[in-house]
Amino acid sequence: MTVKTLSELLECNCIAGHGGLERPVTGGYIGDFLSWVMGRAEENSAWITVMGNINAVAVALLADVSCIILCDSAPLDEDARLRAEENDIPVLTSSQTAFALALSLGRALGRC
Amino acid sequence: MSNKSSVEPITQQYVIPGTDFTRAGEASSKVKTILKRLGYDPDAIRRVAIAMYEGEINMVIHAHGGTAKVEIFPDRVEIALCDQGPGISDVSKAMEEGYSTAPDEVRALGFGAGMGLPNMKKCSDDMRVHSIIGKGTDVYMTIRVRGTGN
Ligand SMILES: Nc1ncnc2c1ncn2[C@@H]1O[C@H](COP(=O)(O)OP(=O)(O)O)[C@@H](O)[C@H]1O
Ligand SMILES: [Mg+2]
Protein backbone atom coordinates (compact mmCIF):
# COMPACT_ATOMS: atom_id res chain seq x y z
CA MET A 1 0.00 0.00 0.00
CA THR A 2 1.16 3.55 -0.66
CA VAL A 3 1.13 6.41 1.83
CA LYS A 4 -1.48 8.07 -0.37
CA THR A 5 -3.87 5.12 -0.13
CA LEU A 6 -3.29 4.84 3.60
CA SER A 7 -3.94 8.55 4.07
CA GLU A 8 -7.29 8.20 2.29
CA LEU A 9 -8.30 5.08 4.25
CA LEU A 10 -7.44 6.72 7.57
CA GLU A 11 -9.04 10.02 6.53
CA CYS A 12 -5.88 11.98 7.26
CA ASN A 13 -4.77 15.30 5.81
CA CYS A 14 -1.39 15.41 4.18
CA ILE A 15 0.16 18.72 5.28
CA ALA A 16 3.72 18.29 3.99
CA GLY A 17 5.93 16.10 1.85
CA HIS A 18 3.43 15.32 -0.92
CA GLY A 19 6.37 14.20 -3.05
CA GLY A 20 6.63 11.05 -0.91
CA LEU A 21 2.99 9.94 -1.18
CA GLU A 22 3.85 7.03 -3.46
CA ARG A 23 6.17 5.49 -0.89
CA PRO A 24 5.22 2.00 0.28
CA VAL A 25 3.85 1.30 3.78
CA THR A 26 4.42 -2.19 5.15
CA GLY A 27 4.10 -1.70 8.91
CA GLY A 28 3.66 0.73 11.73
CA TYR A 29 5.24 2.10 14.86
CA ILE A 30 3.90 4.27 17.68
CA GLY A 31 6.12 6.39 19.89
CA ASP A 32 7.39 9.84 20.76
CA PHE A 33 10.91 9.13 22.01
CA LEU A 34 13.13 9.45 18.94
CA SER A 35 15.69 6.85 19.96
CA TRP A 36 12.98 4.25 20.42
CA VAL A 37 11.74 4.97 16.93
CA MET A 38 15.24 4.65 15.47
CA GLY A 39 15.87 1.46 17.39
CA ARG A 40 12.54 -0.27 16.87
CA ALA A 41 10.63 1.05 13.85
CA GLU A 42 11.13 -1.01 10.74
CA GLU A 43 11.76 0.76 7.47
CA ASN A 44 8.63 1.66 5.51
CA SER A 45 6.63 1.93 8.72
CA ALA A 46 3.92 4.52 9.17
CA TRP A 47 5.07 6.30 12.34
CA ILE A 48 2.26 7.50 14.61
CA THR A 49 3.35 10.21 17.07
CA VAL A 50 2.58 13.58 18.61
CA MET A 51 6.15 14.76 17.97
CA GLY A 52 5.87 17.35 15.20
CA ASN A 53 9.30 18.95 15.48
CA ILE A 54 12.23 19.15 13.08
CA ASN A 55 14.03 16.31 14.85
CA ALA A 56 11.12 13.98 14.18
CA VAL A 57 11.46 14.76 10.48
CA ALA A 58 15.20 14.06 10.67
CA VAL A 59 14.46 10.70 12.31
CA ALA A 60 11.87 9.82 9.68
CA LEU A 61 14.41 10.59 6.98
CA LEU A 62 17.32 8.74 8.56
CA ALA A 63 15.34 5.68 9.69
CA ASP A 64 13.49 5.31 6.36
CA VAL A 65 9.97 5.40 7.77
CA SER A 66 7.44 6.00 5.02
CA CYS A 67 5.43 8.76 6.71
CA ILE A 68 4.75 10.56 9.96
CA ILE A 69 1.15 10.48 11.18
CA LEU A 70 0.48 13.18 13.77
CA CYS A 71 -2.32 11.84 15.97
CA ASP A 72 -4.63 13.78 18.33
CA SER A 73 -4.32 16.81 16.00
CA ALA A 74 -0.76 17.36 17.23
CA PRO A 75 0.79 20.37 15.49
CA LEU A 76 3.71 20.41 13.05
CA ASP A 77 6.35 23.09 13.62
CA GLU A 78 7.02 25.40 10.67
CA ASP A 79 10.71 24.46 10.38
CA ALA A 80 9.68 20.80 10.51
CA ARG A 81 7.17 21.38 7.71
CA LEU A 82 9.86 22.93 5.55
CA ARG A 83 12.30 20.09 6.22
CA ALA A 84 9.59 17.52 5.39
CA GLU A 85 8.82 19.34 2.14
CA GLU A 86 12.47 19.47 1.21
CA ASN A 87 12.96 15.75 1.79
CA ASP A 88 9.59 14.43 0.55
CA ILE A 89 8.66 13.00 3.97
CA PRO A 90 4.84 12.86 4.00
CA VAL A 91 3.33 14.26 7.20
CA LEU A 92 -0.30 13.28 7.74
CA THR A 93 -2.52 14.64 10.49
CA SER A 94 -5.58 13.23 12.17
CA SER A 95 -7.78 14.10 15.13
CA GLN A 96 -7.89 10.40 16.04
CA THR A 97 -5.89 8.78 18.84
CA ALA A 98 -2.79 6.68 18.22
CA PHE A 99 -4.83 3.61 19.21
CA ALA A 100 -7.61 4.29 16.73
CA LEU A 101 -5.12 5.02 13.96
CA ALA A 102 -3.14 1.85 14.73
CA LEU A 103 -6.32 -0.21 14.51
CA SER A 104 -7.16 1.26 11.12
CA LEU A 105 -3.58 0.82 9.95
CA GLY A 106 -3.61 -2.82 11.06
CA ARG A 107 -6.85 -3.40 9.16
CA ALA A 108 -5.54 -1.64 6.07
CA LEU A 109 -2.47 -3.88 6.13
CA GLY A 110 -4.58 -7.01 6.69
CA ARG A 111 -2.99 -7.62 10.08
CA CYS A 112 -6.18 -7.62 12.12
CA MET B 1 39.96 -8.57 3.06
CA SER B 2 43.50 -7.23 3.07
CA ASN B 3 43.28 -5.82 -0.44
CA LYS B 4 39.87 -4.32 0.37
CA SER B 5 41.33 -2.54 3.39
CA SER B 6 44.07 -1.04 1.25
CA VAL B 7 41.53 0.77 -0.93
CA GLU B 8 41.61 4.53 -0.33
CA PRO B 9 38.43 5.52 1.49
CA ILE B 10 36.19 8.43 0.61
CA THR B 11 36.66 10.70 3.61
CA GLN B 12 34.17 13.25 4.91
CA GLN B 13 34.64 15.60 7.85
CA TYR B 14 31.95 17.56 9.62
CA VAL B 15 31.77 20.03 12.46
CA ILE B 16 28.74 19.40 14.66
CA PRO B 17 27.70 22.69 16.26
CA GLY B 18 26.82 22.54 19.95
CA THR B 19 23.31 23.16 21.33
CA ASP B 20 21.72 23.48 17.90
CA PHE B 21 19.17 20.70 17.72
CA THR B 22 17.68 21.97 14.50
CA ARG B 23 20.94 21.38 12.67
CA ALA B 24 21.78 18.02 14.23
CA GLY B 25 21.26 15.38 11.61
CA GLU B 26 22.63 17.42 8.72
CA ALA B 27 25.93 15.51 8.69
CA SER B 28 24.18 12.12 8.90
CA SER B 29 21.80 13.12 6.10
CA LYS B 30 24.73 14.12 3.91
CA VAL B 31 26.49 10.81 4.53
CA LYS B 32 23.27 8.99 3.76
CA THR B 33 22.94 10.82 0.46
CA ILE B 34 26.53 9.99 -0.50
CA LEU B 35 26.11 6.29 0.34
CA LYS B 36 22.86 6.13 -1.63
CA ARG B 37 24.54 7.71 -4.64
CA LEU B 38 27.37 5.18 -4.37
CA GLY B 39 24.81 2.37 -4.39
CA TYR B 40 25.49 0.92 -0.94
CA ASP B 41 23.21 -1.71 0.57
CA PRO B 42 20.11 0.04 2.04
CA ASP B 43 20.39 -1.83 5.34
CA ALA B 44 23.97 -0.66 5.80
CA ILE B 45 22.99 2.90 4.87
CA ARG B 46 20.22 2.85 7.44
CA ARG B 47 22.55 1.57 10.16
CA VAL B 48 25.13 4.24 9.33
CA ALA B 49 22.47 6.97 9.36
CA ILE B 50 20.97 5.94 12.71
CA ALA B 51 24.31 5.34 14.44
CA MET B 52 25.70 8.64 13.24
CA TYR B 53 22.59 10.65 14.09
CA GLU B 54 22.55 9.28 17.65
CA GLY B 55 26.21 10.22 17.93
CA GLU B 56 25.60 13.70 16.56
CA ILE B 57 22.74 14.23 18.98
CA ASN B 58 24.87 13.07 21.90
CA MET B 59 27.56 15.59 21.02
CA VAL B 60 24.93 18.35 20.81
CA ILE B 61 23.13 17.43 24.05
CA HIS B 62 26.00 16.29 26.21
CA ALA B 63 29.23 17.78 24.83
CA HIS B 64 28.64 21.26 23.25
CA GLY B 65 29.25 19.82 19.79
CA GLY B 66 32.23 18.09 18.23
CA THR B 67 33.52 16.66 14.99
CA ALA B 68 32.59 13.70 12.85
CA LYS B 69 34.92 11.94 10.45
CA VAL B 70 33.45 9.36 8.11
CA GLU B 71 35.54 7.01 5.99
CA ILE B 72 33.71 5.10 3.31
CA PHE B 73 35.37 1.85 2.19
CA PRO B 74 33.87 -0.63 -0.27
CA ASP B 75 33.13 -3.16 2.49
CA ARG B 76 32.56 -0.89 5.49
CA VAL B 77 32.00 2.61 6.83
CA GLU B 78 34.08 3.91 9.71
CA ILE B 79 32.80 6.77 11.84
CA ALA B 80 34.84 8.71 14.39
CA LEU B 81 32.96 11.12 16.63
CA CYS B 82 35.16 13.29 18.79
CA ASP B 83 34.22 15.96 21.29
CA GLN B 84 35.78 17.99 24.04
CA GLY B 85 32.80 17.78 26.34
CA PRO B 86 32.65 16.71 30.00
CA GLY B 87 33.36 13.03 29.29
CA ILE B 88 31.48 9.99 30.58
CA SER B 89 32.35 8.80 34.09
CA ASP B 90 31.00 5.28 33.73
CA VAL B 91 30.86 4.16 30.10
CA SER B 92 29.34 0.74 30.80
CA LYS B 93 26.53 2.39 32.74
CA ALA B 94 26.00 4.93 29.92
CA MET B 95 25.68 1.99 27.51
CA GLU B 96 22.74 0.56 29.49
CA GLU B 97 19.31 0.93 27.90
CA GLY B 98 17.40 3.72 29.60
CA TYR B 99 20.33 5.40 31.34
CA SER B 100 20.26 9.11 30.64
CA THR B 101 21.41 12.34 32.22
CA ALA B 102 19.55 14.45 29.62
CA PRO B 103 17.68 17.43 31.10
CA ASP B 104 13.89 17.78 30.88
CA GLU B 105 13.92 20.39 28.10
CA VAL B 106 15.83 17.92 25.92
CA ARG B 107 13.36 15.16 26.75
CA ALA B 108 10.54 17.44 25.69
CA LEU B 109 12.10 17.42 22.21
CA GLY B 110 11.95 13.62 22.11
CA PHE B 111 15.56 12.92 23.04
CA GLY B 112 16.96 11.59 26.29
CA ALA B 113 15.42 8.12 26.31
CA GLY B 114 18.80 6.67 27.15
CA MET B 115 18.70 4.52 24.02
CA GLY B 116 21.27 6.40 21.92
CA LEU B 117 24.44 4.50 22.80
CA PRO B 118 22.59 1.14 22.76
CA ASN B 119 21.24 2.01 19.29
CA MET B 120 24.73 2.92 18.11
CA LYS B 121 26.02 -0.40 19.42
CA LYS B 122 23.19 -2.29 17.76
CA CYS B 123 23.70 -0.59 14.40
CA SER B 124 27.45 -1.06 14.29
CA ASP B 125 29.58 -4.18 13.98
CA ASP B 126 32.25 -2.71 16.19
CA MET B 127 32.06 0.21 18.59
CA ARG B 128 34.61 1.65 20.96
CA VAL B 129 34.11 4.51 23.40
CA HIS B 130 37.10 6.36 24.85
CA SER B 131 36.21 8.97 27.38
CA ILE B 132 38.23 11.05 29.79
CA ILE B 133 36.48 13.17 32.41
CA GLY B 134 37.03 16.85 31.73
CA LYS B 135 38.69 16.15 28.37
CA GLY B 136 36.10 14.64 26.09
CA THR B 137 34.71 11.56 24.42
CA ASP B 138 35.67 9.71 21.26
CA VAL B 139 33.37 7.13 19.74
CA TYR B 140 34.58 4.88 16.93
CA MET B 141 32.11 2.77 15.00
CA THR B 142 32.54 0.37 12.10
CA ILE B 143 29.52 -0.59 10.04
CA ARG B 144 30.12 -3.48 7.66
CA VAL B 145 28.27 -3.59 4.39
CA ARG B 146 26.42 -6.88 4.21
CA GLY B 147 24.40 -8.38 1.42
CA THR B 148 26.57 -7.11 -1.43
CA GLY B 149 27.66 -10.61 -2.40
CA ASN B 150 31.36 -9.69 -2.57
N1 LIG C 1 29.43 12.59 23.86
C1 LIG C 1 29.06 12.49 25.15
N2 LIG C 1 29.65 13.28 26.09
C2 LIG C 1 29.30 13.19 27.39
N3 LIG C 1 28.38 12.33 27.85
C3 LIG C 1 27.76 11.52 26.98
C4 LIG C 1 28.06 11.55 25.59
N4 LIG C 1 27.30 10.62 24.95
C5 LIG C 1 26.57 10.03 25.93
N5 LIG C 1 26.84 10.57 27.14
C6 LIG C 1 26.28 10.14 28.45
O1 LIG C 1 25.73 8.84 28.32
C7 LIG C 1 24.32 8.86 28.62
C8 LIG C 1 23.59 7.86 27.74
O2 LIG C 1 23.66 8.25 26.37
P1 LIG C 1 22.50 7.77 25.38
O3 LIG C 1 22.39 6.29 25.46
O4 LIG C 1 22.77 8.34 24.03
O5 LIG C 1 21.20 8.38 26.02
P2 LIG C 1 20.62 9.88 26.01
O6 LIG C 1 21.44 10.68 25.04
O7 LIG C 1 19.23 9.70 25.57
O8 LIG C 1 20.75 10.38 27.40
C9 LIG C 1 23.90 10.29 28.41
O9 LIG C 1 22.75 10.62 29.14
C10 LIG C 1 25.14 11.04 28.92
O10 LIG C 1 25.17 11.07 30.34
MG1 LIG D 1 21.77 9.97 23.15
Side-chain angles (χ1 to χ4, degrees), chain B residues 10-111:
Chain B
I10 298 167
T11 304
Q12 301 288 312
Q13 308 236 38
Y14 303 96
V15 174
I16 315 298
T19 64
D20 190 350
F21 288 98
T22 61
R23 287 193 57 198
E26 275 181 14
S28 339
S29 302
K30 280 181 189 151
V31 170
K32 184 170 187 176
T33 304
I34 294 168
L35 293 174
K36 264 193 186 165
R37 207 174 288 147
L38 293 169
Y40 276 71
D41 170 51
D43 173 67
I45 296 178
R46 187 169 191 264
R47 285 185 291 124
V48 167
I50 292 173
M52 189 168 163
Y53 185 56
E54 289 284 13
E56 269 191 76
I57 289 295
N58 276 355
M59 293 196 293
V60 176
I61 300 177
H62 305 294
H64 326 292
T67 61
K69 182 181 176 190
V70 181
E71 291 178 297
I72 302 169
F73 293 88
D75 65 331
R76 67 189 189 281
V77 177
E78 295 188 0
I79 304 169
L81 304 166
C82 303
D83 69 59
Q84 298 181 346
I88 304 173
S89 56
D90 186 344
V91 171
S92 57
K93 191 166 187 93
M95 294 292 303
E96 282 173 15
E97 295 193 355
Y99 177 83
S100 175
T101 60
D104 284 348
E105 63 268 25
V106 165
R107 289 174 158 261
L109 295 172
F111 300 111

Side-chain angles (χ1 to χ4, degrees), chain A residues 8-53:
Chain A
E8 285 161 8
L9 284 171
L10 272 54
E11 296 177 346
C12 295
N13 287 322
C14 180
I15 55 170
H18 292 83
L21 282 173
E22 293 305 320
R23 288 191 60 144
V25 181
T26 55
Y29 188 81
I30 304 175
D32 304 320
F33 264 131
L34 304 177
S35 287
W36 280 103
V37 180
M38 285 190 278
R40 305 282 291 183
E42 289 169 7
E43 64 177 312
N44 296 326
S45 294
W47 170 27
I48 302 168
T49 183
V50 293
M51 200 56 83
N53 64 23

